[in-house]
């Protein structure tokens, strides 16, 4: 008897509905903690890093109990991809959860849809960079991901593009409980290295420079290209880590994952850099060999 089940369209629909239910449950969750004041005032859906740590484990467990996995759903079956991922990248999460956690930290900094322009130093190919596309839907216009390279002209064009970018909705859109200026005055840059884990659990060579070195390069270029007045462009957030690619065919197909190693926000007005990692991902394991 095979321990594999092939996903049918109806199963995928059930899983999608379950994800929507999970997100809806999270959005409705409320407490009196001060860190959620911005959410209460604007009534915008978000997941704070604190909520993510509290709610996601139990919700995801309950979800997994209700629906069979897309791959290796047999009783007691071990999924080679997940086994290898947990061993090599113990702090990694699915892209979906990474975006939820990042949203929890960035919403409080007024990163709303169409508020930022998303860029990446990773390949912009949709199949190879699912996370960048998801970040664009969450903070950008939903379609644009700007490719960056390690030269000043690339960053200058990116910065000027944010300042001149047309809005897809009017500025100062009224939101329940107040008004939030949603002019494009923020940026999000995704960077890091890449690795493939096959359906059999075999890890490829890591592609890309070290996250620490790339982070330093980006910050240097941002400091030299972003206007210091803090009016036209307020801040840029850098999200760095390891993109873990999963096969997109066969019974072992699934969503890519990401090992977060750094998330920092550069503030244009004073040049300060705010470290958001502890709040967003501080509960995760960060392998020393990846980010010493």
């Amino acid at each position: 008897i095979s321990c594999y089940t092939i996903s049918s369209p109806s199963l995928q629909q059930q899983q999608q509905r379950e994800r929507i239910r999970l997100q809806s449950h999270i959005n409705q969750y409320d407490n009196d903690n001060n860190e959620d004041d911005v959410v209460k005032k604007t009534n915008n859906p978000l997941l704070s890093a604190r909520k993510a740590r509290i709610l996601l484990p139990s919700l995801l467990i309950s979800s997994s109990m209700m629906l069979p996995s897309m791959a290796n759903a047999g009783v007691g079956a071990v999924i080679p991809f997940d086994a290898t991922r947990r061993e090599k990248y113990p702090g990694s999460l699915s892209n979906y959860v990474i975006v939820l956690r990042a949203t929890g930290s960035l919403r409080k900094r007024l990163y709303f849809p169409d508020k930022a322009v998303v860029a990446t130093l990773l390949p912009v190919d949709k199949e190879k960079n699912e996370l960048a596309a998801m970040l664009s839907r969450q903070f950008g216009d939903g379609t644009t991901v700007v490719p960056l390279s390690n030269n000043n002209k690339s960053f200058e064009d990116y910065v000027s593009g944010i300042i001149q970018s047309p809005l897809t909705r009017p500025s100062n859109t009224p939101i329940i409980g107040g008004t939030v200026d949603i002019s494009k005055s923020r940026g999000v840059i995704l960077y890091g290295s890449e690795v493939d884990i096959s359906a059999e659990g075999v890890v490829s060579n890591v592609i890309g420079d070290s996250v620490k070195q790339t982070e330093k390069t980006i910050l240097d270029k941002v400091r030299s290209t972003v206007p210091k007045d803090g009016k036209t462009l307020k801040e840029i957030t850098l999200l760095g880590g390891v993109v873990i690619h999963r096969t997109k065919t066969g019974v072992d197909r699934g969503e890519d994952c990401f090992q977060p190693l750094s998330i920092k926000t550069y503030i244009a007005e004073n040049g300060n850099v705010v470290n958001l990692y502890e709040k967003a991902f501080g509960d995760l394991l960060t392998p020393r060999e990846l980010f010493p």
Side-chain angles (χ1 to χ4, degrees), residues 188-214:
V188 176
I189 299 177
L190 175 66
Y191 67 98
S193 52
E194 300 177 274
V195 67
D196 292 337
I197 299 180
S198 71
E200 296 74 30
V202 179
V203 184
S204 71
N205 292 328
V206 176
I207 301 173
D209 298 328
S210 73
V211 170
K212 271 196 172 181
Q213 181 57 47
T214 305

Side-chain angles (χ1 to χ4, degrees), residues 25-41 46-55 108:
H25 185 103
I26 291 170
N27 290 341
Q28 293 173 9
Y29 180 86
D30 193 15
N31 60 31
D32 296 326
N33 193 290
N34 290 333
E35 73 176 7
D36 297 322
D37 283 348
V38 173
V39 188
K40 294 177 181 177
K41 291 176 182 177
L46 66 91
L47 176 66
S48 71
R50 177 179 175 276
K51 288 179 186 175
R53 291 193 289 270
I54 294 173
L55 287 178
K108 291 187 286 261

Side-chain angles (χ1 to χ4, degrees), residues 68 108 131 134 158 210 268:
K108 291 187 286 261
L131 184 54
M134 294 171 73
Y158 172 57
S210 73

Side-chain angles (χ1 to χ4, degrees), residues 228-282:
K228 303 299 189 293
D229 57 15
K231 295 178 181 178
T232 52
L233 199 164
K234 297 185 182 301
E235 55 186 53
I236 293 181
T237 292
L238 284 54
L239 174 60
V242 181
V243 176
I244 306 167
H245 296 296
R246 184 172 185 170
T247 182
K248 297 298 179 288
T249 60
V251 295
D252 283 298
R253 67 187 181 276
E255 182 179 5
D256 287 350
C257 296
F258 187 73
Q259 168 77 61
L261 298 176
S262 178
I263 178 169
K264 294 179 179 178
T265 295
Y266 171 81
I267 302 173
E269 187 175 18
N270 54 27
N272 289 343
V273 176
V274 180
N275 192 340
L276 304 177
Y277 189 88
E278 186 61 32
K279 288 186 177 180
F281 306 115

Side-chain angles (χ1 to χ4, degrees), residues 7 13 21 25 31 45 70 97 107 121 126 130 150 188 193 223 260-261 263 268 284 289:
S7 287
Q13 291 169 3
R21 184 198 68 81
H25 185 103
N31 60 31
M70 286 184 67
V97 179
R107 280 285 192 265
L121 269 77
K126 186 176 180 181
E130 297 173 347
N150 289 322
V188 176
S193 52
R223 287 189 179 100
L261 298 176
I263 178 169
L284 302 178
E289 63 271 20

